[in-house]
Amino acid sequence: ANIRSAMIYLHSHVGYSYYPTKIGKMHSGLIGREDAMKRLIDLCRAGGINVVGYYSLVFNTYEEDRHPEWRIIDSDDGSSERQRGSRYGHCCPNNAEYRAYVEEQIKEISEYFTVDGMFYDMTYWHGCCRCPSCKERYLREEGEELPTKVDLNDPKWQKFMHKRYEWIGEFAQYVTSISKKYMPHASVEHNY
């Protein structure tokens, strides 16, 4: 087929890993074939095909269900979109435990696979998060409570929107930095 590069799933929106992870959940379709993705990647590379690993950030249904404290809370009633019936769960990039989980998974990937690049999907805010981590960070950085009423003309709401852009950019840089720490040779791309 004259293929020069392939993007291969390593972690999906559902939150399943496509390798034998120690901290997440491996996709059940790989039970008994735990090394299938490693073998596929190794065969691609042996055949001259560069491999980019796919990893879903923020979207992670399994971990939102398992760690309610990681949820993006985007409603006045304190619920997440998933709690209101959405297909996917979303984890807040400002939650320190979620960040540690992402770093540990990137480290696992670097130890298990040899990839030429990483593609991080969904590096954006899914809703206006008002979880405890966001509230604490906003208070610490801005010295005031996070606004709760959506009003595009309100300077306080506009300030919060700018802060969200700053935070997601910082999260993308964090993920890029830890990727380079564990896979210095790999390219890094974010889909925003």
Side-chain angles (χ1 to χ4, degrees):
N2 207 19
I3 295 169
R4 294 199 172 160
S5 70
M7 184 179 292
I8 297 177
Y9 260 61
L10 303 179
H11 185 268
S12 74
H13 289 4
V14 177
Y16 294 157
S17 297
Y18 291 76
Y19 63 94
T21 178
K22 293 182 177 102
I23 65 160
K25 180 166 178 67
M26 185 179 71
H27 191 290
S28 62
L30 293 173
I31 294 172
R33 315 180 297 131
E34 289 81 2
D35 68 341
M37 298 307 275
K38 182 173 182 5
R39 186 166 182 272
L40 175 60
I41 288 171
D42 290 347
L43 285 169
C44 284
R45 292 181 49 88
I49 299 171
N50 292 319
V51 175
V52 175
Y54 175 98
Y55 188 99
S56 179
L57 288 170
V58 179
F59 278 52
N60 190 324
T61 304
Y62 178 74
E63 295 302 339
E64 181 192 312
D65 289 347
R66 205 165 73 126
H67 296 280
E69 68 279 10
W70 294 6
R71 290 179 178 147
I72 287 182
I73 303 298
D74 61 351
S75 70
D76 292 334
D77 67 3
S79 68
S80 71
E81 193 173 291
R82 174 144 172 86
Q83 289 176 294
R84 297 187 310 276
S86 177
R87 179 177 179 189
Y88 295 116
H90 309 105
C91 295
C92 180
N94 279 334
N95 183 286
E97 289 177 357
Y98 174 64
R99 284 176 174 240
Y101 162 86
V102 169
E103 179 167 1
E104 190 58 33
Q105 285 229 301
I106 292 169
K107 182 179 177 195
E108 280 185 340
I109 287 167
S110 76
E111 292 169 350
Y112 195 70
F113 299 107
T114 301
V115 294
D116 301 289
M118 287 297 293
F119 176 86
Y120 294 103
D121 200 6
M122 313 313 265
T123 312
Y124 71 90
W125 289 106
H126 195 79
C128 291
C129 189
R130 293 175 259 170
C131 76
S133 296
C134 286
K135 287 178 179 178
E136 290 167 16
R137 186 170 182 181
Y138 195 78
L139 181 61
R140 183 176 67 248
E141 293 179 11
E142 296 302 317
E144 60 190 43
E145 297 292 324
L146 187 132
T148 56
K149 184 176 183 238
V150 177
D151 180 352
L152 301 179
N153 295 314
D154 180 1
K156 287 187 179 223
W157 185 259
Q158 293 170 359
K159 183 177 174 182
F160 174 47
M161 291 300 100
H162 283 296
K163 204 57 163 164
R164 291 174 69 239
Y165 295 136
E166 180 184 312
W167 288 343
I168 204 66
E170 182 270 331
F171 180 64
Q173 184 57 56
Y174 166 77
V175 171
T176 299
S177 296
I178 59 177
S179 298
K180 289 296 190 179
K181 173 181 170 182
Y182 297 115
M183 298 175 270
H185 63 282
S187 64
V188 177
E189 180 181 358
H190 291 269
N191 183 29
Y192 178 78

